[in-house]
Amino acid sequence: MSKLNQHINLLPWPNPRRRQNPYQKLLYTALESQHIRIMMTPPSFSLAPYMPRIDWFHLNWPERIYLSSKPQVQQERSEYLINILARLRKKGVRIVWTVHNLTPHDAPDIEFHKKVNRRLFENCDLVHVHSHDVGEYLSREYRFNADQIHVM
């Protein structure tokens, strides 16, 4: 069987079925029509590296994993996020991040989030954005390779 006829397994985070986000529903329906299998999201982010047969890990809203009102907790959680992504990559999983917001709404420490973003970009194979302007900004501000930015 050729690779084109095989399903690609994509593990989404967070679970799109739990929140019923209209954007995610449309996106994952479209991906499924292109032979991309949307896997069941594990109950905990820490279990992602243990999931079998993941080809792609799709990250949305990473700040949900690390955001805290306590700077030390936020730092620890951001390290946890980066470590999980690094473990996935070590397994050969490719990482795609849909950048909805570069910083959480009303974030008091913009520089902290910029540092986390830089580390996230270092672990991404592909970034998905919703406008060309955002793609150009990422390429310029974060020096992310423009060939790895997909506008949809």
Side-chain angles (χ1 to χ4, degrees), residues 56-75:
W56 283 88
F57 181 81
H58 182 209
L59 183 62
N60 288 278
W61 304 287
E63 66 276 8
R64 289 184 181 173
I65 295 167
Y66 68 82
L67 198 59
S68 172
S69 60
K70 299 176 183 173
Q72 180 63 32
V73 171
Q74 189 163 267
Q75 179 63 41

Side-chain angles (χ1 to χ4, degrees), residues 51-116:
M51 299 289 290
R53 297 179 301 281
I54 306 169
D55 299 305
W56 283 88
F57 181 81
H58 182 209
L59 183 62
N60 288 278
W61 304 287
E63 66 276 8
R64 289 184 181 173
I65 295 167
Y66 68 82
L67 198 59
S68 172
S69 60
K70 299 176 183 173
Q72 180 63 32
V73 171
Q74 189 163 267
Q75 179 63 41
E76 290 170 3
R77 288 179 182 172
S78 69
E79 291 297 325
Y80 162 78
L81 165 64
I82 298 301
N83 287 334
I84 294 291
L85 295 179
R87 288 174 58 196
L88 285 164
R89 287 182 61 111
K90 191 173 183 178
K91 281 182 57 174
V93 176
R94 297 179 75 191
I95 309 292
V96 58
W97 173 21
T98 295
V99 178
H100 298 278
N101 306 304
L102 284 168
T103 59
H105 301 291
D106 302 322
D109 187 357
I110 301 299
E111 288 306 312
F112 171 81
H113 296 287
K114 284 184 176 181
K115 289 177 188 173
V116 173

Side-chain angles (χ1 to χ4, degrees), residues 1-10 34-36 53-56 92 94:
M1 178 182 278
S2 76
K3 184 67 177 168
L4 291 176
N5 292 330
Q6 294 176 352
H7 282 281
I8 294 170
N9 294 316
L10 181 140
Q34 299 299 311
H35 304 288
I36 296 174
R53 297 179 301 281
I54 306 169
D55 299 305
W56 283 88
R94 297 179 75 191

Side-chain angles (χ1 to χ4, degrees), residues 56-57 59 85 89 94-99 117-128 144 148:
W56 283 88
F57 181 81
L59 183 62
L85 295 179
R89 287 182 61 111
R94 297 179 75 191
I95 309 292
V96 58
W97 173 21
T98 295
V99 178
N117 288 343
R118 282 188 184 89
R119 297 200 56 211
L120 284 169
F121 288 125
E122 290 170 2
N123 282 281
C124 287
D125 297 284
L126 183 69
V127 172
H128 168 227
F144 195 74
Q148 293 173 281

